[in-house]
Amino acid sequence: GAVVSQHPSRVICKSGTSVKIECRSLDFQATTMFWYRQFPKQSLMLMATSNEGSKATYEQGVEKDKFLINHASLTLSTLTVTSAHPEDSSFYICSAGPNRGMGSLQYFGAGTRLSVL
Amino acid sequence: GIQVEQSPPDLILQEGANSTLRCNFSDSVNNLQWFHQNPWGQLINLFYIPSGTKQNGRLSATTVATERYSLLYISSSQTTDSGVYFCAPHNAGNMLTFGGGTRLMVKP
């Protein structure tokens, strides 16, 4: 199946620093990628839709100035957590699919575990 | 938006037992995926099933789209089946709405 690579897998940082997470589609092009967040023992919640060449679409309650998304190419989307604080500590996962059609199969990266001290 | 409910929330099985996990959703969907999340957080695609029944080894899934539910069957469970199982219907576009998950522990 298609491969989605996410990097880094684990980040530990001090409060106030910014952290960039990369999501790459390795063997297909993706005009759209999705970013999810998962707190401990909870489900995954969609944060935003990353659109190649245009602005991301954020879900209600997600601060666009805090979670900057850049989808500059058809194989790469980045999520930057700006001025991270302990409450931003979470598991961040991206997904993408090789087909544009509605309901097409989505593949997930391995996730990034962010710990803010 | 669409509501997704999974049951049971927690399940403990003895190795070798069978189980059925259920996923109810509140609206019609384009597609649905079942995942197994391993202890490291990786989501593993199990099934991509808008309707009908599919089988893969000891696992099978059935989606009845007209009645808005999907079932995941695990037969002859093994300790390696432990983890969290999520169903995720496809919303508008290709974003997924995840259910709350079923946390499965299989004891030797």
Side-chain angles (χ1 to χ4, degrees), chain A residues 34 36 38 41-46 49 59 91 93 95 99-111 113, chain B residues 30-33 35 37 39-43 45 47-48 86 90-101 103:
Chain A
F34 300 95
Y36 297 82
Q38 184 181 29
K41 307 222 174 198
Q42 293 188 22
S43 187
L44 283 80
M45 297 294 293
L46 179 67
T49 303
E59 295 300 300
F91 190 58
I93 316 177
S95 78
N99 301 310
R100 295 189 188 188
M102 299 278 281
S104 62
L105 181 56
Q106 294 293 296
Y107 295 90
F108 282 77
R113 197 166 301 279
Chain B
N30 294 312
N31 219 318
L32 183 143
Q33 290 181 238
F35 297 93
Q37 187 170 39
W40 299 271
Q42 174 75 59
L43 284 171
N45 273 307
F47 292 100
Y48 174 60
F86 289 105
H90 284 234
N91 243 332
N94 286 316
M95 62 188 73
L96 304 182
T97 298
F98 283 79
R103 193 171 299 271

Side-chain angles (χ1 to χ4, degrees), chain A residues 11-17 19 84-89 114-117:
Chain A
V11 178
I12 302 173
C13 68
K14 291 182 179 179
S15 185
T17 59
V19 174
H85 290 285
E87 58 266 27
D88 299 321
S89 298
L114 172 62
S115 299
V116 184
L117 305 178

